[in-house]
Amino acid sequence: MISHPDRVLIFDTTLRDGEQSPGCSMTQPEKLRVARALAELGVDVIEAGFPAASRGDFDSVTAVAREAQGPIVCALARCHDEDIELAARALAPAQRRRLHVFLATSAIHRQYKLNMAQEEILRLAAAGVARARELCEDVEFSPEDASRTELEFLAQVVEVAIAAGATTVNIPDTVGFTVPDEFAELFRYLRKNVRGIEGVRLSVHCHDDLGMAVANSLTAVVAGARQIECTINGIGERAGNCSLEEVVMALKTRAAFFNVTTGVNSSRLYPTSRLVSSITGMPIPRNKAVVGENAFAHEAGIHQHGMLKHHSTYEILRPEDVGLSRSHLVLGKHSGRHAFRERVQALGFELDEAEFNRVFEEFKALADRKKELFDGDIEALVLRAEGSAAGPWQLIELATETRSGGVARASVQLRHTDGRRVERSASGDGPVDAAFKAIEAATGITVALRKFEVQAVSEGEDAQGEARVYVEYNRRSYRGASVSTNIVESGTRAFLEVINRIEQAQAGTRPRESQAAATSA
Ligand code: KIV
Ligand code: ZN
């Protein structure tokens, strides 16, 4: 008898656990862009944030709840009435909503973090789930650090959560400690020993500290999990979470083995991955599975020979399956709107008319400076189109002077939205350093530079350089990025983006930066 594949729900937590990666915090408009992309990708659940963490988180959850069409919108809460009520309020505008309550259960967390006995944990878990159920039909419960919890006690906690009304039980490998065989055993143990477990959806949530988040999530599916919690590009606390694109493509490519399906439209994976990378400033490693630049590159002669005979010799996924339609089509200043629109669409971007017009104008301006424009240039134009941290400062003019062996000088002219125009010069160790110092002098904000990197986004001698700047200011991390054919200019603009993020944070117009609110119970 042929068994029909079961559906595995894809629960995306890029906006919650992903945003907890150092330096990955997002503004509300950025979160909305990601939420739209996730809905288009076809995820089942979007975990939009942790409303009790900050006012910014609360507002972002509400904004996503208002906007998201299709996916369930979920908010995280500790097993405290105030957290749960706040999360329920933040979710109020959602068409479909879920409350996700969590409480740590392992001996380590009980002793060092919570200072609570097992009985107290059981009582709090039951009370938290029951309160959440009063406010929402769809309630998920997570015993944090489940994989390091004594099995018998874990089974008791899960049982009380189910009895109190949990509809999904999520098993987190919070510190990425487990290994596939052991984790599958844990799921089998719970399925055998917990009363009522057959009536709830089992979920898995893995971190990647030992590089096994995807493998552990897949093994949980084999052992009965029917929801996977994951993030785009695997971003998240420390080494990150299970990567959505990898786990989805593993289930799809090895469908005959897993016998399950997801609702994800895999051709949206690559554009979504690029969008999240661009917004969070977290680059995608070249050799990253599924969406890395080298994922479909064949270097060795013997491989190239095989590929020419038949792609299946060395490729188990096709670039088109994940939405990567790279071409060597080159656009230039004579390319018209039609050709540009076709290329933008082939790269997986949907722009409304106003956005398209703005990007097309920028394309024309760039084509005047750069002979040939490649896919990487077009991606950079589109992804930067919304200028995530636009203002209050704007760069009006930049001039640099540099001589080999001597100090460099830079002058900047900036305009503030409050009407100020400021001009400052500074010298430094190279033109970029001088420009950063001139901006600090002009804005009165002095930061500790942690990292500055430049990467070509396309091919050719006149390739555009994407500059990324990472700084610390008042014990918080900030980042900025910019693209230009002139790397001193892209570095300067990236630095100014950092200053703008700091000013916005100070003015309270941005949610917290990377010092993510602790999710400890
Ligand atoms: O890693 C973890 O345990 C979590 C829970 C809050 C689900 O993120
Ligand atoms: Zn987590």
Side-chain angles (χ1 to χ4, degrees):
M1 200 175 74
I2 301 171
S3 65
H4 288 291
D6 261 0
R7 176 78 187 273
V8 169
L9 301 188
I10 296 299
F11 175 116
D12 180 277
T13 183
T14 306
L15 296 178
R16 199 277 298 169
D17 222 341
E19 210 219 4
Q20 287 175 215
S21 317
C24 276
S25 63
M26 299 174 229
T27 61
Q28 189 172 302
E30 288 169 340
K31 286 186 178 183
L32 283 172
R33 277 178 88 192
V34 172
R36 272 180 227 125
L38 291 171
E40 228 182 287
L41 179 64
V43 306
D44 299 284
V45 185
I46 296 176
E47 187 164 51
F50 181 20
S54 70
R55 178 76 217 179
D57 257 46
F58 179 94
D59 291 342
S60 296
V61 171
T62 301
V64 173
R66 196 171 290 127
E67 174 129 348
Q69 309 277 332
I72 295 169
V73 181
C74 174
L76 184 70
R78 291 169 294 188
C79 283
H80 297 170
D81 282 358
E82 319 80 75
D83 266 38
I84 296 167
E85 286 152 19
L86 208 56
R89 272 214 304 283
L91 285 175
Q95 281 175 350
R96 299 168 72 206
R97 64 188 77 93
R98 174 181 296 181
L99 281 174
H100 179 187
V101 292
F102 76 101
L103 178 63
T105 52
S106 66
I108 298 174
H109 282 235
R110 292 195 312 263
Q111 182 180 349
Y112 297 111
K113 191 176 84 173
L114 301 175
N115 193 20
M116 279 182 198
Q118 290 189 345
E119 295 63 40
E120 213 169 339
I121 300 283
L122 290 168
R123 192 184 55 72
L124 267 183
V129 171
R131 179 69 188 124
R133 259 319 280 270
E134 285 167 4
L135 301 169
C136 186
E137 280 289 293
D138 185 347
V139 172
E140 172 167 333
F141 173 71
S142 289
E144 191 190 9
D145 207 15
S147 57
R148 292 193 300 169
T149 301
E150 306 89 318
L151 276 179
E152 271 180 34
F153 180 57
L154 182 64
Q156 283 177 39
V157 181
V158 169
E159 196 164 299
V160 300
I162 293 172
T167 46
T168 297
V169 169
N170 178 45
I171 303 298
D173 180 28
T174 302
V175 290
F177 178 72
T178 197
V179 296
D181 281 356
E182 177 188 69
F183 206 37
E185 208 32 62
L186 188 157
F187 274 80
R188 287 192 199 104
Y189 178 89
L190 293 178
R191 289 180 73 195
K192 196 162 154 216
N193 293 288
V194 173
R195 239 170 312 165
I197 202 159
E198 61 296 334
V200 299
R201 185 174 287 270
L202 271 181
S203 167
V204 59
H205 177 113
C206 292
H207 281 266
D208 208 31
D209 299 64
L210 294 173
M212 285 186 281
V214 172
N216 286 330
S217 303
L218 292 170
T219 206
V221 168
V222 173
R226 287 295 177 266
Q227 173 177 285
I228 302 175
E229 303 201 350
C230 43
T231 61
I232 299 292
N233 299 334
I235 63 171
E237 284 278 5
R238 307 179 309 280
N241 287 59
C242 170
S243 141
L244 183 150
E245 55 283 356
E246 292 178 23
V247 85
V248 163
M249 287 316 286
L251 292 177
K252 182 170 173 164
T253 310
R254 302 301 310 276
F257 178 82
F258 291 106
N259 197 29
V260 295
T261 58
T262 73
V264 168
N265 170 4
S266 68
S267 70
R268 300 297 311 161
L269 287 172
Y270 180 75
T272 312
S273 157
R274 291 286 303 148
L275 175 74
V276 169
S277 168
S278 152
I279 284 179
T280 58
M282 188 79 116
I284 303 166
R286 288 172 81 95
N287 65 337
K288 166 101 169 57
V290 180
V291 290
E293 208 174 309
N294 289 354
F296 300 98
H298 302 273
E299 184 76 14
I302 198 164
H303 287 207
Q304 290 175 347
H305 181 72
M307 282 293 292
L308 289 173
K309 298 271 181 201
H310 199 272
H311 63 82
S312 64
T313 50
Y314 286 103
E315 246 176 29
I316 58 165
L317 320 173
R318 308 257 32 219
E320 316 70 273
D321 294 344
V322 300
L324 184 59
S325 70
R326 289 215 164 271
S327 79
H328 286 285
L329 194 75
V330 177
L331 300 180
K333 67 176 177 186
H334 300 298
S335 306
R337 291 174 71 86
H338 185 67
F340 183 67
R341 193 189 295 274
E342 277 201 342
R343 205 59 222 131
V344 167
Q345 282 169 351
L347 287 168
F349 298 110
E350 305 288 339
L351 301 181
D352 64 29
E353 210 44 35
E355 279 170 339
F356 177 81
N357 288 337
R358 195 167 60 235
V359 177
F360 186 65
E361 283 309 307
E362 288 180 19
F363 161 75
K364 283 292 186 191
L366 180 61
D368 275 338
R369 283 180 277 136
K370 190 175 184 306
K371 277 201 301 281
E372 298 176 316
L373 274 83
F374 298 89
D375 288 347
D377 294 308
I378 296 166
E379 272 176 17
L381 284 177
V382 174
L383 292 171
R384 294 266 167 255
E386 287 189 9
S388 49
W393 291 102
Q394 203 193 337
L395 181 68
I396 305 298
E397 202 175 284
L398 164 71
T400 58
E401 214 180 283
T402 173
R403 224 173 308 115
S404 58
V407 285
R409 284 198 67 73
S411 310
V412 296
Q413 202 189 111
L414 306 180
R415 190 172 48 217
H416 196 277
T417 43
D418 66 9
R420 271 178 294 155
R421 232 173 214 273
V422 190
E423 212 175 323
R424 289 286 182 281
S425 301
S427 48
D429 189 7
V432 173
D433 184 44
F436 289 3
K437 288 191 171 122
I439 287 180
E440 286 182 328
T443 60
I445 295 176
T446 305
V447 300
L449 183 66
R450 292 287 171 244
K451 195 154 75 165
F452 171 58
E453 53 191 25
V454 180
Q455 206 186 350
V457 298
S458 63
E459 303 159 41
E461 285 167 8
D462 57 356
Q464 292 194 93
E466 176 171 40
R468 293 177 190 256
V469 174
Y470 303 83
V471 310
E472 233 174 84
Y473 179 76
N474 273 354
R475 288 187 290 120
R476 287 171 188 264
S477 316
Y478 294 86
R479 60 168 199 282
S482 181
V483 177
S484 167
T485 45
N486 174 339
I487 58 170
V488 177
E489 185 181 328
S490 52
T492 306
R493 288 189 185 280
F495 191 77
L496 195 60
E497 183 174 305
V498 164
I499 300 292
N500 279 331
R501 284 178 184 268
I502 292 172
E503 277 216 7
Q504 289 171 18
Q506 284 175 334
T509 53
R510 290 176 58 76
R512 71 200 150 80
E513 274 289 338
S514 85
Q515 213 182 36
T519 49
S520 43

